[in-house]
Amino acid sequence: MNILVKIIVILLLNVLSYQLQAQDNYSVTVTVTNANNDKGKMFVALYNSENGFLETSYKGAMSKIEDKTCTVTFEGMPKGTYAVSVFHDENDNGKLDTNFLGIPKEDYGCSNNATGFMGPPKWADAKFELKNDKTLSIKL
């Protein structure tokens, strides 16, 4: 009987633990507008820290572009601070093309429509707090 009670308690704790974790997960929906055309794909990257911003994404997705717009949703995101970057891979080569000075040839954008001055956008300008489901609109 003692073992049966222990098993029931463990199962109950696991179920409650799962319920608590499930309640803290949110979605981030990113809508990208104003693409030049529907060629290629849109790359969307989600970052969860300043370290590695614009270099190593936490999550990423590719999307087809229709009517110069695309939408990507990241599900099951824990509460925290995030930033999003996107670029339109017009020639479908899987990378952001730049000129000899390193200036992007393809359109790009970040959350909060952050733009860089004499360089890429900064984490501080692009970050946002995720406390509930979030919808972002990024204009290229």
Side-chain angles (χ1 to χ4, degrees), residues 25 28 45 52 55 57 59 66 72 83-84 89 92 109 119 131 138:
N25 289 330
V28 176
E55 294 173 14
S57 64
K59 290 193 176 198
E66 295 179 4
V72 170
V84 172
D89 183 18
D92 218 3
K131 299 176 189 172
I138 298 175

Side-chain angles (χ1 to χ4, degrees), residues 48-64:
N48 64 350
S49 75
E50 185 172 4
N51 293 338
F53 177 57
L54 299 179
E55 294 173 14
T56 306
S57 64
Y58 173 64
K59 290 193 176 198
M62 279 187 312
S63 176
K64 288 177 52 180

Side-chain angles (χ1 to χ4, degrees), residues 70-81:
C70 76
T71 300
V72 170
T73 300
F74 297 99
E75 300 283 348
M77 304 300 305
K79 181 169 50 170
T81 304

Side-chain angles (χ1 to χ4, degrees), residues 25-126:
N25 289 330
Y26 307 105
S27 66
V28 176
T29 301
V30 181
T31 300
V32 183
T33 62
N34 207 34
N36 284 333
N37 52 54
D38 292 347
K39 295 179 186 173
K41 293 182 181 69
M42 195 69 67
F43 282 73
V44 182
L46 182 71
Y47 304 89
N48 64 350
S49 75
E50 185 172 4
N51 293 338
F53 177 57
L54 299 179
E55 294 173 14
T56 306
S57 64
Y58 173 64
K59 290 193 176 198
M62 279 187 312
S63 176
K64 288 177 52 180
I65 304 162
E66 295 179 4
D67 298 325
K68 301 180 181 182
T69 302
C70 76
T71 300
V72 170
T73 300
F74 297 99
E75 300 283 348
M77 304 300 305
K79 181 169 50 170
T81 304
Y82 296 91
V84 172
S85 72
V86 301
F87 78 89
H88 181 184
D89 183 18
E90 244 180 296
N91 60 4
D92 218 3
N93 67 350
K95 64 179 185 172
L96 176 64
D97 295 324
T98 60
N99 66 16
F100 69 97
L101 295 173
I103 298 170
K105 292 182 185 178
E106 297 174 309
D107 287 338
Y108 66 93
C110 282
S111 44
N112 300 328
N113 288 312
T115 58
F117 178 73
M118 301 295 283
K122 304 287 186 238
W123 166 262
D125 298 329

Side-chain angles (χ1 to χ4, degrees), residues 124-139:
D125 298 329
K127 70 179 180 176
F128 61 90
E129 293 296 320
L130 183 63
K131 299 176 189 172
N132 48 30
D133 291 343
K134 185 98 171 163
T135 300
L136 303 171
S137 180
I138 298 175
K139 184 176 180 183

